[in-house]
Amino acid sequence: MTIRGSCSCNNISLSWKNIDLSLVPRKCGCDYCSAKGAAYVSKSGTAIDATIRKHHLHNVIQHGSRQAEFHECGFCHDVVMVTAAIQGDIYGALNVNCLHNRERFVEPVAIDFSDQTRNEKLQRWLKNWCQPVRIVIRR
């Protein structure tokens, strides 16, 4: 099954190859994610394809440990996903609020990862995040 999504203005669109709708979205408690109302969902071994239509409206934001990159639309300001380059590959998690069928997922649970070390975060992402993540920028 392919789950589709996008930011509100459709500048950044998503396609996620996943059949598991029993996943529980995780609501990050950091200031940035809380302000954006973001809750992330991912499944190891599933692929994400993102298409950016107007590259000048694609903002990449880093916070905290600066290991992850948050992909945000510069027009509607939705954060659609978070990615990290790990061992030469791109891993990612999707903001469930940007998925077109988000109502199929259960309510997000609040999780606090602020006490994790840089290495613990990388290991968690390797284990749980989607991979491969492909980003195509239309010019």
Side-chain angles (χ1 to χ4, degrees), residues 41-107:
V41 66
S42 62
K43 183 166 179 77
S44 178
T46 62
I48 297 171
D49 290 300
T51 302
I52 299 162
R53 285 166 181 68
K54 297 177 182 172
H55 70 280
H56 64 283
L57 293 175
H58 172 225
N59 297 332
V60 178
I61 316 281
Q62 291 183 316
H63 295 280
S65 66
R66 305 187 66 77
Q67 293 170 278
E69 295 184 333
F70 297 85
H71 298 264
E72 178 183 299
C73 178
F75 183 76
C76 66
H77 305 288
D78 289 344
V79 58
V80 296
M81 68 179 170
V82 57
T83 61
I86 307 170
Q87 300 171 352
D89 293 313
I90 306 272
Y91 289 76
L94 300 164
N95 182 357
V96 74
N97 297 314
C98 291
L99 298 178
H100 294 164
N101 58 348
R102 65 185 162 269
E103 68 280 351
R104 291 178 154 180
F105 292 93
V106 298
E107 284 297 311

